[in-house]
Amino acid sequence: MTDLLIAQRGKGALREFNEAGVLAAGDVHVALRLAQLGGDGDPDVHLAAALAVRAVRAGSVCLDLTRLREVTVAEDEDGNPAVDPATLPWPRDDALLAALRRSPLVVGGDRGALRPLRLVDTTEGPLLYLDRYFRQEQTIRRVLADRDTSVPHVDAARLSEHLDRLFRDQTDHTRPAPAPDRQRVAAALAATHRTTVIAGGPGTGKTHTVARILALVAALDGDGVRIGLAAPTGKAAARLQESVREQETELVLPPGLTAMTLHRMLGWFRGRPRYHAGNHLPYDLIVVDETSMVSLTMMYRLLEAVRPDTRLVLVGDPDQLASVDAGAVLADLVARPVAGTLAPAFVRATARDLETTGAHGSDDPRETAFGPREHDRLRGGVVRLTRGRRFGGDIAGLARAVRDGDGDLVMSILRSGSSTIEFCGHDDLDALKRDVLRTSAAVTSAATCGDIDGALAHLDTHRLLCAHRDGHFGVQRWARQATEWVAVSTGRRPDPDGWYPGQPLLVTENDYDARIYNGDTGVIVRRDDGELVAAFARGQQPFVLHPSRLASVQTVYAMTIHRSQGSQYDTVSVVLPNEQSTLLTRELLYTAITRARTKVRIVGTEDAVREGVGRRVLRASGLRRRIGI
């Protein structure tokens, strides 16, 4: 059983929930401190407050009181729960709700105006918030609603002219792209509305579309347009910048566009942002990539700092794993209630795209006309790109089946005998071992010869991914196994404290001075002069530096699925934990599968696959609900 910190002040139900691993000691201490400050002695309220603190720690914005008992407990190293949550002393739902409605922590009391908890009624049941997160969510609601009240002035004829120039038929560049073209619609939406959400899976052309949005807005607004590019992580920002700059000449983009992390864009210093509601960001257009990784608090800070007349484009895959911190904002924005209207210029410029029926000849039949629900989502500034260009066939089918929660179809594809899909047990590792050794040998050979490009290319031919960091199914165990395979095969055991050619690297912290970012992967290469250097992929030109400048880096023969977000590999091998692991979810499987370009290998059991497909990351939030306070 995982070691737990037990809160000595916790009594009764609080202590039992703490000992079961549902509550951490910090959850208990915060709840009891709030109760002391507010003057509430009801143990049911204490438990609810502690569960609300836990909910934020687990990634939710609030506690959904209709799903109170859907909690995780402490697990052993194999992911097995130590206690059955149903045996814990849960309060009656009606009694708990009544206690909260009269609690001074919710309604205020004789000790002052302190209301650390907010009980909010929604169309789908009551939610319990910590006050801070309630205020942040309300600010996001208000800012988005205010931005929906007006649209930029855009000439429809000029808009159509530039759209036709930027989106061409891939088989005949003398003609505009055939309708319906979702990328064209996304660009038109971004140019004619204050807030746009562009959703889509890997390879659906999100950054391709972003580059054309930049060119479109620059053409409409003139050379003086101020553009801000950002992402939640340094790695994602670097990749966004590389993608845009690769198309700079072709699209006549403003020169030298630079992407940065959201923290840097907001000017974060000593715990406070330079840009906020009283000092807005100086951009006419802001594009945020990988928005699925943006937390509620960061989105609140961003929306507060954006000028009311700035075009804001949020890009990402709402089906991927969400932010490590509280919130699943991108998914919430895609699903939130629609209140806006479409700009007339948008309607005129995209008429042929929105009225066309049937597929337009792509190899993906899902790129069809916009249905009634999608027309409705457009009014909310949301457009989804669906035609995958990076991979197709069985990998795309498997990803869709996982995303749609179709366990039978997932198992059918896994067992179809497809050359791009492999399914095996934890004791059937011959193919995985071959891929690990083949990749290591190719990387080492190129790195030893000083071939930086070759070493980096071979590094991405295979990646071993795990759900857990620790335990039998975790990264540490499987990294040791891969290292052992390599050592036995080569007869050389890698020096854990030194550098060697072919050593695969993972950066674990941002280092802006060294220009390497958390999540970057690279390799140690021996140059012709014998010097060892660390090389990292950077668009068309690798970035090279001396290993001594690497402050936070580790050897990577396996990595977590979370760490792999934003990356692509030819073959991906995914080690699944057992079916009882709470980390095993639909979003985790989808994220892992969509890292692959040409082949996916799932290592696990049918029970684990079916459980993962059926279990969703359900982060409680009010953004996608209609609420009444």
Side-chain angles (χ1 to χ4, degrees), residues 219-302:
L220 292 171
D221 290 7
D223 294 337
V225 64
R226 294 165 296 181
I227 296 174
L229 304 177
T233 68
K235 181 177 76 169
R239 294 196 174 192
L240 174 61
Q241 178 174 301
E242 291 163 13
S243 177
V244 168
R245 288 189 175 180
E246 285 174 0
Q247 302 174 74
E248 188 175 272
T249 303
E250 173 194 353
L251 299 177
V252 195
L253 297 175
L257 287 173
T258 301
M260 64 193 85
T261 64
L262 283 169
H263 274 86
R264 280 210 154 189
M265 175 175 277
L266 292 170
W268 218 273
F269 183 68
R270 294 183 178 176
R272 297 181 64 85
R274 175 186 177 189
Y275 296 103
H276 44 73
N279 182 32
H280 287 142
L281 288 161
Y283 300 110
D284 305 304
L285 168 65
I286 294 175
V287 177
V288 180
D289 198 13
E290 296 288 359
T291 310
S292 63
M293 293 190 282
V294 176
S295 67
L296 178 90
T297 298
M298 183 57 70
M299 184 61 69
Y300 151 74
R301 293 291 190 184
L302 173 65

Side-chain angles (χ1 to χ4, degrees), residues 8 73 81 95 171 343 349 370 403 419 461 513 561 569 593 623 625:
Q8 296 304 310
V73 298
T171 60
F370 288 82
R403 186 190 66 193
S419 61
T461 57
D513 291 333
I561 297 169
Y569 311 97
I593 290 165
L623 277 178
R625 304 188 187 190

Side-chain angles (χ1 to χ4, degrees), residues 293-373:
M293 293 190 282
V294 176
S295 67
L296 178 90
T297 298
M298 183 57 70
M299 184 61 69
Y300 151 74
R301 293 291 190 184
L302 173 65
L303 289 178
E304 249 199 344
V306 173
R307 290 200 330 254
D309 62 341
T310 295
R311 293 179 177 93
L312 176 64
V313 181
L314 305 174
V315 185
D317 186 351
D319 300 309
Q320 281 191 23
L321 289 164
S323 163
V324 174
D325 297 319
V329 182
L330 181 64
D332 287 340
L333 295 184
V334 169
R336 74 186 177 111
V338 173
T341 58
L342 291 173
F346 170 81
V347 174
R348 286 183 57 188
T350 61
R352 65 188 180 90
D353 294 287
L354 300 182
E355 294 170 1
T356 302
T357 60
H360 64 63
S362 75
D363 59 359
D364 185 350
R366 296 178 68 88
E367 176 100 322
T368 57
F370 288 82
R373 173 168 167 73

